[in-house]
Structures are given as structure tokens and as C-alpha cells.
Amino acid sequence: MVTHTPADGLDRTANSAPGGVAERQRPGLPQRAAGLAERVWRPFALLLGIFALWWLVTAAEWIEPYLVPSPADTIGAITANPDYFWEHTWTTGYETLLGFVIAAAIGVFAAVVMVYSSTIEKTLYPLLLFAQVIPKIAIAPLFVVWLGFGLGPKIVVAVLMAFFPVVISMVTGLKSIDPEMLQLSATMGAKPAQTFWKIRFPASLPHLFSGLKVAATMAVTGAVVGEFVGADAGLGFVILQANGNLDTPVLFAGLLVMSLLGVLLFVVVEWAEHLLLPWQASRRTDTVTTTM
């Protein structure tokens, strides 16, 4: 056997995987920090631009303060009553998290059942579409009548808002498997449960996480919508109370905290995707970087 030495004289056998396939080295901390900065600086710059425009409009008094408060007044409303906002944010966060977890569990289960049973899919899918187009604010009062003024109605609305993205993305992921792969597993004698856990479920995870990130933001909206109908705590209650008192700084502060809560849950789901599916996150990052 003749061994070919590269022109630079370096031996690269240590960086090659068996079979001659080049192994991709895991990026170090400096590379990951640089990649994070590359992804973050554009939206951060846009956010700063929006705040600058907001400050300019209010400082020039182009809009009356009782219509649009300044950023300083909005943030001041939070810093002046931190315990007040923390208590209501905790309530909404609890409702959101519980609704999101329930929606994820039910959505995954429903998707698996629909994929493995065409009869159930043809029966259930139109009903899901019908339920999705109904405005949740219109049916939220019914949940208050049925479940009272406790956490129940808020969690139910959050589940309804977050359920649809999960089930649709999971169905898409489970159906995106190459049929030849399924035929190969059947030929090798794999049982349906083994095919599901070894092939279908792992391949569906990228689609599932895409749906979970959408569901995370929808769950926050659902919890706040449920609080609009009847509640004595939560960010929805804060927004309604501030609107009734024409206290726009507190109203904008409630909207700001609500947005931050949704972003935080989105980031947690994305972090879980990076942890469980590092190859998928790396591939998406490379694609975005290449196209820019």
C-alpha cells in the first residue's frame, strides 16, 4: 500500500473518521461566542433603533404622553413597583409554562395517533382546523363559566393556543421519513415500536422543536387572553387595570414584560434544541451564515 503525504507534510489521519469521511470538529468556546455574537447583534441593533425612535417620538412630543409614554416612564413604572410586576409575572409565567407543557404532551400524542391511523387523522384533522380558526377570546368566557375564576380557564386557553403548532409540526416530522428507510427497517425485522423510537421519532425532532418555539409564544398570549376575561392576578389583569385607569406607562410596562416572558420561553426551547440536536442547530446556523 502506498501512503500519500499531503503537500504540506501534515498527517490528517487523526482528524478523519473511519471510512475516509472527514470528521467535523466541535467548535470551541471562542468560535461559539463569535457565532452567538453574529446572530445576536442584528436583532439587538434593530431593538436599539426601535427604542431610539420611541424615545425620539415621545421626547419631541409628536404624540401625547397619555397615548404613548416614553421609554423612561415605561421602565420607571416597573422599577417603581418591582414586587407588583414580579407577582403578576409569576402568575402568568406559571399559567404559560403549565399550558405549554400540557399542549406539548397532548400535541405529540395526538400527532402519533394521527400518523399511525389514517381514520383518526381524517376525522380529527378537520376538527383541529375548525377549532384553530375560532377566536380564543370569544370562547374564553365559556371556560370561566365552566371552570370558575381560578387558574383553569387561563391554562385551557394557553393549551388551545399552543396545541395546534405542536401537533402540525409533529405530524409533518413523522411523515417526512424516507419510505425506503421504513422499508429497510421492516425488512430487517424491526418491530413498529422499534421503528418509531429509532427512526421516526428522532427524525421528527427538528420539526417538533420548530413547532414548540411557536407554541412557546402562543402559550403566553393564551394565558394573557384568559386573564382578560376574568382574573385578579397576572399580566392580563395588569394590562386591563392600567387601561381602565388610563395609566399608559403601566400598560406599556405590562406589554413589555409579557413580550420578555415570551422571548424567554422561546430562548429556553431553542437552548434545549441546541442541547439535544446540536447537529440540526449547527446546520441551520451554517445555512444562515452562508446565505448572508
Side-chain angles (χ1 to χ4, degrees):
M1 179 181 298
V2 179
T3 304
H4 296 280
T5 303
D8 54 7
L10 299 178
D11 184 10
R12 293 187 176 87
T13 56
N15 295 328
S16 301
V21 179
E23 181 181 359
R24 184 176 181 176
Q25 294 183 354
R26 187 178 183 89
L29 183 59
Q31 290 79 8
R32 284 183 287 176
L36 178 62
E38 175 66 22
R39 294 193 303 270
V40 166
W41 78 266
R42 290 180 179 87
F44 185 73
L46 177 60
L47 187 62
L48 286 180
I50 293 174
F51 268 87
L53 180 61
W54 181 11
W55 174 83
L56 177 62
V57 168
T58 54
E61 297 183 353
W62 293 339
I63 300 178
E64 296 296 332
Y66 68 89
L67 295 177
V68 178
S70 66
D73 292 339
T74 301
I75 298 176
I78 300 176
T79 57
N81 300 288
D83 294 337
Y84 175 78
F85 277 94
W86 170 254
E87 177 184 355
H88 292 289
T89 302
W90 174 261
T91 301
T92 302
Y94 177 77
E95 297 164 353
T96 298
L97 185 59
L98 194 56
F100 172 75
V101 172
I102 295 175
I106 298 178
V108 170
F109 176 77
V112 173
V113 173
M114 290 169 60
V115 167
Y116 279 92
S117 175
S118 59
T119 301
I120 295 179
E121 181 181 7
K122 294 177 182 178
T123 304
L124 191 59
Y125 202 87
L127 297 179
L128 293 178
L129 293 176
F130 179 76
Q132 179 64 18
V133 299
I134 297 177
K136 304 305 180 291
I137 190 66
I139 60 176
L142 292 176
F143 299 130
V144 175
V145 175
W146 296 337
L147 303 175
F149 288 91
L151 296 177
K154 293 81 173 176
I155 295 175
V156 170
V157 177
V159 170
L160 291 178
M161 293 285 287
F163 171 76
F164 192 75
V166 175
V167 67
I168 293 301
S169 61
M170 189 63 179
V171 168
T172 303
L174 291 174
K175 287 186 174 182
S176 64
I177 310 300
D178 188 353
E180 294 182 358
M181 181 68 71
L182 299 178
Q183 294 175 1
L184 177 62
S185 64
T187 302
M188 298 181 66
K191 297 180 181 179
Q194 293 175 324
T195 302
F196 175 78
W197 289 112
K198 298 294 184 180
I199 299 177
R200 278 189 179 271
F201 185 72
S204 67
L205 287 180
H207 296 271
L208 175 60
F209 273 102
S210 297
L212 289 176
K213 284 185 280 190
V214 176
T217 58
M218 298 297 290
V220 179
T221 304
V224 173
V225 167
E227 293 168 352
F228 281 164
V229 177
D232 57 359
L235 294 175
F237 171 77
V238 171
I239 294 172
L240 280 182
Q241 193 176 46
N243 185 50
N245 297 331
L246 296 179
D247 191 351
T248 51
V250 174
L251 191 153
F252 271 66
L255 293 174
L256 180 62
V257 174
M258 172 186 165
S259 301
L260 293 177
L261 183 61
V263 171
L264 176 61
L265 188 55
F266 181 94
V267 170
V268 170
V269 175
E270 192 169 49
W271 175 80
E273 181 187 17
H274 278 265
L275 185 64
L276 298 176
L277 307 174
W279 61 89
Q280 176 68 19
S282 177
R283 183 192 311 171
R284 185 174 60 251
T285 301
D286 291 346
T287 302
V288 173
T289 303
T290 303
T291 56
M292 287 185 178

